[in-house]
Amino acid sequence: MTLDQARIHSLLRILLISDDWATRRSLNQLGLYAGELIHVLRRAPFGGPLVIESRNSRVAISRQLAESIRVEVIP
Amino acid sequence: VKIALVGQPNSGKSTIFNAVAGYRSLTSNFSGTTVEYTRGRARISGEVIDLIDLPGLYSLNPANAAETCAREFLLTGDWDVLVNILDASQLARSLELTLELTELERPMVVCLNMMDEATRKGLSIDLKTLNEALDVPVVEAVATRGQGIVETFVAAKELRRHGPRVFSPAFSYAPAVEAVVESLARALVTAGIPDALLESPPRLGVEMGANDSVALQPQVAACAVAAPAAVADLAPRPLKVRFRALQLLQSDPLRVAFLPAATAEPVEGARREMLHATGEPADLVISSARHAACLNLFERVATVSRPHGDWRERVDRWLMHPFWGYVFLAMIFLVFFRLVFDVGQLGEAHILAAFDSLIAYVGRFLAPEGWAFALAKGALLGTAGAFAIVLPYLLPFLVGLSILEDVGYLARVGYLMDAAMHRLGLHGTATIPVLLGYGCSVPAVMATRILTSRRDRFIAGFLAVLVPCSARMTVIMALVGFYLGAYWALGIYVLNLVVVALAGNVLARIWPEVAPGLLMEVPPYHHPAARVVILKTWWRLREFVVIAIPLLVVGSAVLGLVEFLGWQNAINAALSPLTALLGLPAAVGLTLIFGVLRKELSLLMLMQAVGTTNVGSVMTTAQIVIFTLFVTFYLPCLATLATMVRELGRKLTIAASGALLALAIVISLLARGVLHFLL
């Protein structure tokens, strides 16, 4: 599944990030790589962004961008 | 000694810079395609050092103009020592930039800032191991409390004193990757392209002219992204060709296509080779390897224990709540505007009174009928406008904005408002300029700087000036509110909101979004540092003082002269097609010109033009509404226009003005039609 479908408070592992150079670059810069664990902290209402935490840093990410991140749920 | 400060955004870089260089330094903000970095001087244990504060960047192969500028500067080699500032509480991520910087193979000091925050998060860092792994001095600091700053710069100076030594990258890539990098490096040397890395992307090179004069101000070293020639003039010191090869392999494939063929061909070849050898794109291979090295290093130097109880998370639970978050947002901005308004009004009354007596005083020396008095009175009224009407609101406004920004609340606003702003084709971060528009358009337009793309800045700036500022509010309240009642005034505000929403929608269609949506770090809350708030306010204020005040003074003096020469009738006649079209008395023509100078002046001038303070007795309900609507929408005031030219460039300002004028005419005509039908 992609990150935009993730439930709040779920723990996820990033499997794959979109192939687009700029998207991948901007996500990598914030420490988001395939293999990283992320924790979904919040979801804004009305299709707004998600707040995710990875290694102590928090990032707000739009649903649109979240669609370009494939994740798996860590039970 | 020239020391360059490099760090990721929110690493506290500016706090450190301000702590030593302070008020003598110049703005570090960026605008348009010309990005400025700050230079300053400081005296550290008896020696004067030159400091260069570069815009925050996450990596050396960045996506936006500000970050590109920082990189270009590093590549000039016009610096002696690099001070890399890290947010220690974000060590894992911050080390990625540090590792990349070691690839420059130049003298560097690592400053671990925000150590208190790291401790709070349960992170303890082994400085000695970090120092050994990176082979550069590592200093810990809490910049907000002034700890570790001097030590950092002393360490940087020491590096110089010990004479030449070798600095080498802190890690190496897999043999297959190194082989590709090396063969590319060799190809670059053979091709004889020393500055192959200056990609000169033509896309970023347009529209530089508007900011040229600003860029040439003394001390502000402006980095024009598209001018490799200028960079070459700085006499670059040779950078390791390995570094260039690495950067080229990581850069945007679209940009590589723009490089001269002699560079592009070996780069494309090396990329293909890398894809073949590893099965992944070159940039991903390199950045993943660095990421792995970074995590490895992090595991070696950091131990993580349970974080201490954190009140911040509890605060965010309310401030970022799907319902209460918006309630708090509304309350915070309501209080903010209320405070700005109250402080502003207090200042305005006193300063205006002072100017009135000054004008009376001048009148004693100059003949009241003479041109000299008309000129002096005009100039004084213009100065009064700047100091009494704009400054009293602008100052508390900028202080409040800097505090909200420094505390970290603006990022939360961006998160909350993203969904709504998306409908207007903007990101959540654009909420701030648009909301600020209700106070004063000048800081609102300045606030578009927090947005990265020109498109976003233009749309946000356009919507921000469309929103009625406090001066236009005066007109709405004093005319419509006073003569027709509060509901009519409210109606105008509602109509304005509808127009803003429609305009955003239309602009988003005309100029579609290219950025892939909001991606923003949510920084932890900080105590606002008084020094940072004061400096930020001062920088923003100084621009208003420098740009807008001379325009206001000269413009007002000219209008004073126009009045003296009795050209009002000619101007009213010239504007009569417009006033007739809108069904307004011809006498209001001149007031519209005054309105460009200062919006609330159109109100005073209206009373003068119609010859009574009881406007209701000479203008019909429809005329009052149409006049107010037209004044609300037609053109921003001169100070705003000047700021728009500075922030968005001349062309976009002209385009925006034309659009606003057309919009005002259409709305007024529609109102005329509807009111004719209703009344």
Side-chain angles (χ1 to χ4, degrees), chain B residues 1 3 49 81-83 107-109 137 139 150-161:
Chain B
V1 188
I3 297 180
I49 54 172
V81 183
L82 213 58
V83 169
M108 179 164 96
V109 171
V139 183
V150 174
E151 289 83 344
T152 302
F153 290 109
V154 168
K157 267 173 38 184
E158 290 290 308
L159 270 188
R160 288 267 296 164
R161 188 162 307 155

Side-chain angles (χ1 to χ4, degrees), chain A residues 21 24 36 57-58 60 62, chain B residues 90 283 291 313 518 520 522:
Chain A
W21 183 87
R24 185 170 63 221
E36 285 291 330
S57 86
R58 286 179 188 185
S62 69
Chain B
Q90 312 264 10
D283 69 286
H291 182 61
E313 177 51 36
L518 183 82
M520 156 188 88
V522 182

